[in-house]
Amino acid sequence: MKRKCLHASPCPVARALDSIGDWWTLLILRDAFDGLKRFNAIQKSLGIPRNILTARLRLLVDRDILGVAPASDGSVYQEYVLTDKGRDLIPVISALRQWGEQHALAPQAPADAAVAMAGALLQPPPRRADLGRFVEPPDPHTKH
C-alpha cells in the first residue's frame, strides 16, 4: 500500500507524521538522540537494510531534521547531526519512550528503565487547542 502524503493537511499532527511518522525514522531519531552519528553505527544498531537507511537519512536531511557534517575525528566519514528542528523532537521521542516503558515493556524487562534520554522523566506538555485553551480528552462516559 502506498503511503498518502499528508504535508498539505490542515492538521498539524498529520503534517508532523508526514515528516517523521514511520517506525524506521523514529528509531533513527532515537539513535541520533542517543549519540549515534555515523551511518554504519545507526545501521548496526537498528539492523535496518542499507537502502532504507539511506532513504530515511536523506529524507531527514531534506526536511532539515538532521544535518550532515564532517566526522568529528577528522576522518573522511560524514556524521548525521541533529539540527535545531531535530532537537525540538527530543520531547516527542522521550514521551514515546516513556509511554513504551510504562505500557509496552515485555514482562521480563527491567522496571527501572523509565529514565528518558535527558536523564529525567519529562512531564507531558499541557494540551492546548489552536486558540490556546486547555484541552482534555473526552470523557468516554458522557454522551456526545
Side-chain angles (χ1 to χ4, degrees), residues 53-136:
L53 179 56
T54 298
R56 295 309 187 280
L57 288 170
R58 187 175 300 127
L59 179 75
L60 289 167
V61 169
D62 289 348
R63 293 191 175 159
D64 194 35
I65 294 169
L66 291 177
V68 179
S72 55
D73 64 3
S75 67
V76 297
Y77 297 103
Q78 65 183 19
E79 294 179 343
Y80 293 93
V81 294
L82 292 164
T83 62
D84 289 341
K85 189 175 175 181
R87 281 188 293 279
D88 283 347
L89 287 167
I90 289 173
V92 175
I93 303 299
S94 293
L96 280 171
R97 179 177 275 173
Q98 288 176 209
W99 185 91
E101 289 169 344
Q102 185 175 0
H103 299 291
L105 276 179
Q108 69 276 14
D112 62 352
V115 176
M117 288 166 269
L121 292 174
L122 299 173
Q123 296 302 313
R127 295 178 181 98
R128 294 182 181 264
D130 292 339
L131 299 176
R133 65 186 184 280
F134 289 102
V135 176
E136 291 299 324

Side-chain angles (χ1 to χ4, degrees), residues 16-38:
L17 287 172
D18 194 63
S19 291
I20 60 163
D22 72 75
W23 67 69
W24 285 125
T25 300
L26 292 170
L27 292 172
I28 291 165
L29 289 171
R30 178 208 59 195
D31 279 0
F33 298 147
D34 287 344
L36 297 182
K37 296 179 178 185
R38 292 198 179 166

